[in-house]
Amino acid sequence: MTKFLAMRKLGALRPIDEAGIEALSHVGEGEIIQVSYSRPRSLKMHRMFWALMTIVWSNLDHGRYPTVENLVAAVKISTGHRELIVLPGGAEVYVPKSISFAAMDQDEFNAFYNRVCDLIAAHWLPGVTSEELRAEVKIMIGAA
């Protein structure tokens, strides 16, 4: 499978780099090919997630969540971004799934981020709305 970046212009997908131009040079005029797509992850959104987690963690009891990574694991599991594993002896536990750039495209990450904001507003920072969280994070990273 060949992968390259493309952009929609005037109703058509156009390659945006040499790799894309090279890949399409092997497709004959009028030839039908199968295309699947995903939106590459945004570094800005990834930074917004970690800024959000830092804000929340700084407002919590550090006895319960000693590190921001502990909070992130709890948030992932609570939003359903988790896998069930069975330990020796039969005990079942959830482990958080990855949010790496390779594990989620931008659409998946957007949905996850929205669930996180809603969950935090409802359970970790009552009295703060999801919208207030999003706005504070944008200010924090200079995106507002």
Side-chain angles (χ1 to χ4, degrees):
M1 178 190 330
T2 302
K3 292 184 178 183
F4 60 89
L5 296 175
M7 178 186 302
R8 184 172 183 238
K9 279 194 165 186
L10 302 173
L13 289 176
R14 309 264 188 237
I16 63 168
D17 58 14
E18 289 300 319
I21 293 168
E22 169 64 20
L24 289 182
S25 73
H26 300 286
V27 177
E29 189 66 35
E31 183 179 350
I32 296 173
I33 60 172
Q34 182 177 15
V35 177
S36 63
Y37 77 93
S38 66
R39 289 182 177 86
R41 277 281 292 283
S42 161
L43 181 57
K44 179 178 112 181
M45 283 297 297
H46 195 76
R47 288 181 52 227
M48 286 174 61
F49 172 79
W50 283 100
L52 173 64
M53 293 295 94
T54 301
I55 290 169
V56 174
W57 183 76
S58 67
N59 284 283
L60 296 178
D61 173 17
H62 293 173
R64 187 169 193 172
Y65 303 104
T67 68
V68 72
E69 288 80 9
N70 295 131
L71 174 64
V72 169
V75 166
K76 287 178 181 179
I77 290 168
S78 297
T79 59
H81 194 68
R82 64 190 184 206
E83 291 180 294
L84 180 66
I85 62 169
V86 180
L87 300 176
E92 295 180 340
V93 296
Y94 287 109
V95 295
K97 290 169 67 176
S98 174
I99 60 166
S100 73
F101 283 68
M104 302 175 94
D105 70 15
Q106 190 58 46
D107 292 337
E108 293 168 315
F109 191 78
N110 288 345
F112 170 73
Y113 185 79
N114 289 332
R115 286 193 314 272
V116 168
C117 289
D118 293 343
L119 180 80
I120 288 169
H123 298 285
W124 271 280
L125 297 178
V128 177
T129 68
S130 304
E131 293 75 23
E132 290 170 330
L133 284 172
R134 287 181 186 89
E136 185 63 30
V137 167
K138 286 181 180 178
I139 291 168
M140 188 175 177
I141 69 162

